[in-house]
Amino acid sequence: MAISAMRSVLGRWDGIHAVGSRHALLALIATLFVIEYQLGLIHHFSAMLDEFDSTLGSVAVSAGFSLWIGGLVWGVRRRVELAETREAMAAAEADAETAGICDGLTGLPNRAALRLELAHRLERIATEEGHGVLIGLDVDRFKMLNDVNGHSIADRVLQVISDRLALAVAPGDFVARVGPDEFLVICDLPGVDEARCLAARMQSEIAQPLWEPTPPFQVQTSYGVTALVGNGAPEDVDTVIRRVDIALQNAKIEGGAITVFHPDMELSIRERAELEHALEQAVDREEIEPWFQPVIDLGSNRIRGFEVLARWTHPERGPISPSVFVPIAEERGLLGRMTMAMLRRAATIARDWPADIKIAINISPIEFKNRWLAQEILQTLTEVGFPPRRLEIEITENALVVDHDQAVSTVMSLKNQGISIALDDFGTGYASLHQLRVLPFDKIKIDQSFVRTMVDNSESRSIVQAIIGLSGSLGLPTTAEGIETESNAQTLRDLGCTLGQGFLFSRAVLAEEAAGLVAVATAAAAATAAVTERPSPRDPDPSGPSGDRSSQIDVEDATAVAPGEPAAEAADVRLSA
C-alpha cells in the first residue's frame, strides 16, 4: 500500500548514504597520504638533528613530534565532526521530505502525496486508456467521538482504521489520510460496481469492535465513489477530488451509506449547506419550538407529564424532521444552546400547569462534557421560576460510560436540587447493574425498538419483561416508549409497566394543545373526585363503570383534540441524535 509513493524517498535516502560512503573513502585515502608525508618529514628532520649530539636536539625532536601528533589528532576529530554534521543534515533533509508526504499519526501518505499519485494515475489512464476509481471514506460523527472520548482515544481509532484499510485493499492500491477523519483510496478497478464491493469490505472490516476500551464500541463509516475517466486528456485532480467529496457528503447525510457520484448531487450539497446556515440562524433566534408528548399512567390512563421534543419549521421548506436537524446541530456545536433555549421555553409554558404534571427533557451525552451543565440548568429554572422537582432529566446509557466521573458529578448536583433523573433508551447501550445501583435514578425508560416488536417477537418481549422486573426489584417505575397499538399497551400493563407514551395516546403537540390536554385532564380529575365524594345511588361503588369511565377521560377525550404533529415525524426523536 502506497509503496510507490515511498520509493522516491527511500531512493533519496540510499543516494545520501552512497554519497556519504564515497566521501568517507576519499577522506581516508587523503588522510593516509598526509600521514605518510608527515612521517617522511619527521624522519628527515630527525636525521638532521642526529648530526647534533646535544640535549637541545633531542628536545627539539620531541617537541616537533608532539606538535605533529596533536595536529594529527585535531585534524582527525575535525573530520569526524564534519562527517557527522553532514550525515545529520542529510538525515534531517530526508525526514523533512518524508514528513512532506506522510501523515505523522498513521504513517499513511498525506494529501500532498495523494495529489501527486492521483495526477500520475490520471495521466496514465488518459494515455493508456486504462481505468480506476477513487473512494473517499469518512468516520461518522467523529467530532462527537473526539469530544466525548478524548484525543488519545480518537487518535487510536484513526490508527486502527488505517491498519484495517491496509488489510482490506489490494497491494497496488494507494491509501492516504487527507483530513482529520477522512481517507482517500485510489484503486485499479474497472468500474464503480467493483468499487462498491470494495467499499463494503472496508466498511465491514472497520466496523469490527475496537480493541480494549470499556465498553467496546464500533465505528461507522460513510463512502463516496467516483470513476477515473480516460478521454484522451488527463482529468483535473481537483475536479476528481471534488466529485468524491460530493458523493461522500451525500453518503454522510444518509449515515453509513456507500454513494456513487452523480452530477445531481451537487444540488443536494448546496441545500445541505443552506440548511446548516438556516439552522444556525434558527438557534440564534430561538425558533426551535418545544412540542409536548403526554406520558400516561398505564394503570389509570391519566396524564402524568410531558416529554419535551424539538421541532423546527423552516420558513421555506416547512417542517424539518428532528432526525435531520438534530445531528446537524450536534456537528455544528449548537446542541447545548438549543437545549437550554428549549428548556427555558418549555419551563415557562408549563410553569402554571398543575403541580403534579412534570416535564422531561433529554440531555445528549456530549453535553455532559460541560462541567457547568448542572449550574446552567438550575440557573434557567430559577430565572423562569419553575420548581426543580417538576423537571425530569433523561440521559442515555452512553452518557454514563464516556465520562463516568463527570456524569456522576452532574447527576448528583441535579438530584440534590430535587430534579428527577431517568435512564433513557435502556437496553441499547452499555449500562451495567453496578451503575444502576450506584447512580440515583428515579425511572427507567424502555427503548421503543423493543416495545414496538414485543407482540410478534418473543425476544423483544423477554427483554421488556426483564427490564420491568429489574426496575421493580430496584423500586423504580418504568416508562415504555413507542406504544402504538392497544395490544402493546395491554401487554405492558400485564407485565407491570408503570407509564407509557406513544402514538396510541397522542403525538407530540404544540404548547396550546398541551395546555388543552392538561385542562381536560384536570377537569376529569375533578369530576372523579366529586364522584368519589358523593357516590351515585345507582352506583355506590366508585370503582364501578362510572369511575372507570371518568378515569379514562384524561386520555381518550384529550387526544381527540390533539392531532398536532405531522404523521411523517417520529415523536420519539429528542434533543439528541
Side-chain angles (χ1 to χ4, degrees):
M1 178 192 65
I3 293 176
S4 59
M6 309 306 297
R7 284 176 177 167
S8 60
V9 175
L10 295 176
R12 294 189 188 94
W13 180 262
D14 293 338
I16 289 169
H17 278 273
V19 171
S21 299
R22 289 195 295 271
H23 286 171
L25 181 60
L26 291 174
L28 178 61
I29 294 173
T31 301
L32 292 176
F33 275 113
V34 169
I35 291 174
E36 183 178 3
Y37 177 72
Q38 295 279 355
L39 289 175
L41 288 177
I42 291 177
H43 178 73
H44 180 68
F45 183 64
S46 177
M48 291 176 59
L49 291 179
D50 283 343
E51 300 176 2
F52 302 95
D53 187 13
S54 65
T55 303
L56 178 61
S58 299
V59 170
V61 171
S62 299
F65 184 75
S66 298
L67 288 174
W68 174 79
I69 291 296
L72 181 62
V73 171
W74 180 86
V76 172
R77 287 188 58 186
R78 182 60 178 164
R79 287 180 181 278
V80 171
E81 290 175 356
L82 290 175
E84 290 177 348
T85 301
R86 283 194 295 268
E87 289 182 2
M89 292 177 63
E93 291 175 0
D95 290 341
E97 291 187 20
T98 303
I101 64 172
C102 287
D103 172 56
L105 177 64
T106 63
L108 294 174
N110 60 16
R111 180 177 286 273
L114 177 120
R115 290 178 62 88
L116 292 174
E117 181 68 18
L118 183 58
H120 171 72
R121 296 209 185 190
L122 289 172
E123 184 175 357
R124 188 183 66 186
I125 289 172
T127 56
E128 301 177 4
E129 296 185 357
H131 52 254
V133 295
L134 181 63
I135 301 175
L137 64 119
D138 193 281
V139 181
D140 293 346
R141 303 178 70 179
F142 181 76
K143 183 179 184 301
M144 179 179 178
L145 185 151
N146 196 1
D147 292 342
V148 170
N149 296 282
H151 294 291
S152 60
I153 295 296
D155 288 348
R156 179 67 178 128
V157 168
L158 294 173
Q159 291 170 340
V160 172
I161 289 176
S162 66
D163 293 342
R164 293 181 177 181
L165 282 176
L167 298 175
V169 301
D173 295 340
F174 189 97
V175 181
R177 182 188 177 207
V178 297
D181 61 331
E182 185 178 351
F183 299 81
L184 290 180
V185 184
I186 307 174
C187 306
D188 187 20
L189 294 174
V192 295
D193 291 335
E194 292 80 2
R196 280 180 180 273
C197 295
L198 175 58
R201 189 161 66 248
M202 294 178 185
Q203 192 174 49
S204 175
E205 190 71 32
I206 293 173
Q208 298 301 315
L210 296 178
W211 77 107
E212 73 281 351
T214 304
F217 57 86
Q218 292 180 319
V219 173
Q220 178 177 282
T221 48
S222 299
Y223 296 78
V225 178
T226 186
L228 307 180
V229 182
N231 53 5
E235 290 189 282
D236 179 65
V237 170
D238 290 327
T239 300
V240 174
I241 293 178
R242 173 170 171 76
R243 289 206 308 261
V244 80
D245 282 343
I246 291 174
L248 181 56
Q249 290 301 316
N250 276 271
K252 285 180 66 65
I253 292 174
E254 299 180 25
I258 301 173
T259 305
V260 178
F261 172 79
H262 188 277
D264 293 342
M265 291 181 178
E266 295 194 59
L267 177 61
S268 65
I269 292 298
R270 287 196 296 270
E271 291 177 348
R272 165 84 175 198
E274 293 172 357
L275 189 64
E276 291 179 357
H277 179 66
L279 179 60
E280 289 181 359
Q281 292 182 325
V283 172
D284 291 338
R285 298 169 183 170
E286 296 189 1
E287 295 175 351
I288 310 298
E289 294 185 294
W291 285 42
F292 300 82
Q293 185 175 37
V295 177
I296 307 301
D297 186 320
L298 294 179
S300 64
N301 279 346
R302 295 183 184 278
I303 295 177
R304 296 303 184 191
F306 291 85
E307 182 173 5
V308 180
L309 306 173
R311 296 294 181 264
W312 177 35
T313 301
H314 190 278
E316 297 177 358
R317 302 184 188 182
I320 305 296
S321 172
S323 62
V324 173
F325 74 80
V326 170
I328 294 177
E330 187 173 77
E331 293 173 7
R332 305 290 292 183
L334 304 173
L335 198 56
R337 290 165 49 203
M338 190 171 75
T339 300
M340 288 301 108
M342 290 283 295
L343 174 60
R344 180 181 298 275
R345 293 183 63 181
T348 302
I349 292 168
R351 181 176 51 198
D352 298 327
W353 292 353
D356 60 339
I357 300 294
K358 286 189 171 185
I359 61 171
I361 192 166
N362 187 278
I363 301 295
S364 169
I366 196 172
E367 294 181 68
F368 278 88
K369 300 292 289 185
N370 177 13
R371 58 183 300 185
W372 305 109
L373 176 62
Q375 287 81 350
E376 291 176 4
I377 292 174
L378 293 170
Q379 181 179 353
T380 299
L381 297 181
T382 301
E383 293 173 355
V384 172
F386 189 83
R389 61 181 178 79
R390 292 184 55 203
L391 175 64
E392 181 177 280
I393 297 295
E394 299 179 357
I395 63 176
T396 62
E397 301 171 45
N398 292 334
L400 305 176
V401 297
V402 295
D403 193 339
H404 184 269
D405 293 341
Q406 181 63 49
V408 170
S409 175
T410 300
V411 167
M412 294 306 299
S413 296
L414 296 172
K415 282 284 295 182
N416 290 338
Q417 299 300 319
I419 296 175
S420 301
I421 307 296
L423 181 57
D424 196 14
D425 296 340
F426 186 77
T428 61
Y430 298 100
S432 66
L433 297 180
H434 172 73
Q435 290 167 337
L436 289 176
R437 181 176 61 84
V438 172
L439 291 175
F441 291 108
D442 299 285
K443 181 192 295 183
I444 293 178
K445 300 192 70 173
I446 307 172
D447 185 67
Q448 60 177 319
S449 62
F450 303 126
V451 174
R452 289 175 176 172
T453 59
M454 67 178 183
V455 173
D456 301 321
N457 188 310
S458 59
E459 292 182 357
S460 295
R461 179 188 173 95
S462 297
I463 292 174
V464 171
Q465 185 174 6
I467 295 174
I468 294 173
L470 174 63
S471 301
S473 65
L474 296 174
L476 302 177
T478 50
T479 298
E481 302 176 296
I483 302 177
E484 298 181 353
T485 64
E486 180 57 40
S487 60
N488 278 357
Q490 188 56 51
T491 299
L492 289 165
R493 292 188 186 98
D494 294 341
L495 293 176
C497 185
T498 315
L499 305 168
Q501 63 186 93
F503 290 176
L504 174 65
F505 306 112
S506 175
R507 299 178 182 272
V509 296
L510 286 166
E512 295 79 5
E513 296 172 271
L517 293 175
V518 172
V520 171
T522 303
T528 301
V531 170
T532 302
E533 292 176 1
R534 294 189 300 274
S536 169
R538 297 182 180 179
D539 186 16
D541 185 0
S543 62
S546 298
D548 288 343
R549 172 59 189 156
S550 63
S551 67
Q552 295 181 16
I553 291 177
D554 295 7
V555 177
E556 295 176 357
D557 292 353
T559 54
V561 296
E565 183 183 82
E569 298 223 4
D572 58 344
V573 179
R574 304 169 186 77
L575 286 176
S576 63

